[in-house]
Amino acid sequence: MSANFTSLKELLSQPIQITITTHQKPDGDAMGSSLALYNYLIQFHHRVKVIVPTEFPKYFNWMPGVDEILIYPNSKIEADEWIQSSDLICCLDFNTISRIHPMDEIVKIAQKPILLIDHHLQPDSFQWMFHDIAACSTCELIYRFIHELDEHPSISELTAQCIYTGILTDTGNFQNGATNRNAFLIVADLLSKGLNIQYIQEQLNQSSTESKLRFLGNALLNKLTVRKDLGIAFIVVDKKDAKTYNLQAGDTEGLVNYPLSIQEINISVLIKEEREITKLSFRSKGDINVNDFARTHFEGGGHKNAAGGKSIFPPDWLIKKITELIEKDKKKNK
Ligand code: 5GP
Ligand code: MN
């Protein structure tokens, strides 16, 4: 462990109070990394709470420790008290504090030591940073962090399930550009800790609903715009879809990946109308950098091939705007 981490190791050498938090609308890596660290740390009698800034999808309800999670808007008083009396705040799977809105205020006010564990591009600065953009997932970093703390750590089957969830989901089932050697090496080790891959597959990929499948069918049939001339495709999910298909947190997860299966499409954009803003998801192939695009134009960011952003404008306007930007870029590069 580097000198920088010696003080952190010292802090963790006796039971302390810890807050673990992760980004809004937690995905598999956010949930997996938070609960993996939770399940690991409670073994040492630390007082640990995972507090998430917004609701998480119901399909994570099977995860070990999930019942103990506080959802910030539903438990604000308890969460604020916990954060203010914590000795350490662990920020997982995000690179900038605005990603935990509406929890960002209290975290700033509390002025507690922060440990960031993350793999997104261009992170803000925090007291301790366990950060690597080459990591396939924050769960890979949790596995590595645990080994930094202890050369031969005790990783339970429950912790293994959480780490596997993040690696599986962030690598798109070991298929996207984030997939690296560590993903396979770590999973091989997790299998020796009792990990049951079939069980996780049933929980994550075989426990959906009929209405979610029909929503997917409708989105691909009726809500997809393909611009092969520009190599870009859009899918719009509006408020009407949310009502018709009774969409719940996480129900659009993965949808943005489908258009990339078309040979000529290199950028896919999911435009989702929410109550007050429009949320954007970008995915790209190869060298196309959607992190830069989301950062420059849509107050967002993420990874080279997977990024998000937001806008106050409606979907139609955004399709026009993004199309213009891509056309301009094409002309410039001619
Ligand atoms: P998704 O499209 O699945 O919501 O997000 C893709 C990636 O970009 C994820 O790694 C996510 O954490 C990141 N991301 C999504 N939205 C934002 C945003 O508004 N700001 C930043 N900095 N990152 C985002
Ligand atoms: Mn991640």
Side-chain angles (χ1 to χ4, degrees), residues 23 95-96 99 120 279 281 283 299-303 306-309:
H23 61 78
N95 54 2
T96 182
R99 293 279 287 144
H120 290 90
K279 191 74 188 130
S281 273
R283 297 293 184 272
E299 300 170 49
H303 310 283

Side-chain angles (χ1 to χ4, degrees), residues 4 21 29 53 55 93 108 131 134 137 149 157 188 214 253 256 261 264 268 287-288 291 304 312 318 321:
N4 183 19
T21 189
D29 193 31
E55 222 187 324
D93 200 37
K108 279 185 219 156
H131 185 271
S137 56
L149 294 178
E157 185 185 342
R214 294 198 185 278
E253 193 69 37
V256 65
S261 65
E264 297 87 347
S268 170
D287 277 341
I288 299 173
N291 168 62
K304 189 174 86 177
I312 53 163
L318 287 166
K321 172 83 182 166

Side-chain angles (χ1 to χ4, degrees), residues 46-269:
H46 295 299
R47 302 178 302 283
V48 191
K49 259 195 207 312
V50 177
I51 309 177
V52 293
T54 67
E55 222 187 324
F56 54 83
K58 287 199 178 61
Y59 50 75
F60 293 128
N61 275 346
W62 60 275
M63 294 187 80
V66 81
D67 293 340
E68 306 301 321
I69 294 180
L70 292 188
I71 298 167
Y72 187 73
N74 304 347
S75 312
K76 191 172 177 308
I77 294 170
E78 188 186 347
D80 282 353
E81 270 175 22
W82 186 271
I83 292 165
Q84 279 178 307
S85 51
S86 285
D87 302 299
L88 174 68
I89 301 179
C90 302
C91 292
L92 310 186
D93 200 37
F94 64 89
N95 54 2
T96 182
I97 208 77
S98 63
R99 293 279 287 144
I100 58 170
H101 183 76
M103 252 178 90
D104 48 345
E105 278 306 306
I106 187 70
V107 168
K108 279 185 219 156
I109 290 166
Q111 296 200 334
K112 298 295 175 182
I114 291 183
L115 162 66
L116 176 87
I117 305 183
D118 179 50
H119 66 136
H120 290 90
L121 294 160
Q122 298 150 296
D124 292 347
S125 184
F126 297 92
Q127 178 155 357
W128 292 292
M129 299 182 61
F130 200 80
H131 185 271
D132 184 359
I133 59 162
C136 71
S137 56
T138 299
C139 277
E140 172 185 332
L141 293 172
I142 294 291
Y143 178 91
R144 285 163 48 187
F145 178 70
I146 288 173
H147 284 79
E148 286 274 3
L149 294 178
D150 183 347
E151 216 178 317
H152 301 289
S154 82
I155 295 179
S156 67
E157 185 185 342
L158 300 182
T159 304
Q161 289 175 352
C162 299
I163 295 175
Y164 179 68
T165 295
I167 293 178
L168 185 74
T169 53
D170 257 29
T171 60
N173 301 324
F174 303 96
Q175 285 171 26
N176 68 25
T179 314
N180 61 8
R181 184 169 179 266
N182 279 342
F184 295 101
L185 290 175
I186 293 169
V187 174
D189 187 37
L190 298 180
L191 287 170
S192 72
K193 314 287 183 202
L195 173 70
N196 180 341
I197 283 180
Q198 191 59 46
Y199 170 72
I200 310 290
Q201 167 71 354
E202 282 163 17
Q203 302 306 319
L204 288 178
N205 299 325
Q206 297 170 341
S207 58
S208 192
T209 58
E210 179 181 345
S211 92
K212 193 172 157 189
L213 198 63
R214 294 198 185 278
F215 159 71
L216 169 67
N218 182 61
L220 297 180
L221 189 62
N222 298 317
K223 311 299 289 285
L224 170 68
T225 306
V226 176
R227 286 287 307 263
K228 283 189 194 164
D229 56 325
L230 296 175
I232 189 164
F234 302 91
I235 297 178
V236 173
V237 177
D238 52 31
K239 288 180 183 160
K240 198 165 152 248
D241 292 319
K243 209 167 156 209
T244 310
Y245 296 98
N246 186 26
L247 292 184
Q248 306 292 316
D251 279 357
T252 55
E253 193 69 37
L255 182 57
V256 65
N257 295 311
Y258 285 91
L260 289 186
S261 65
I262 303 170
Q263 189 176 19
E264 297 87 347
I265 297 303
N266 299 313
I267 303 176
S268 170
V269 188

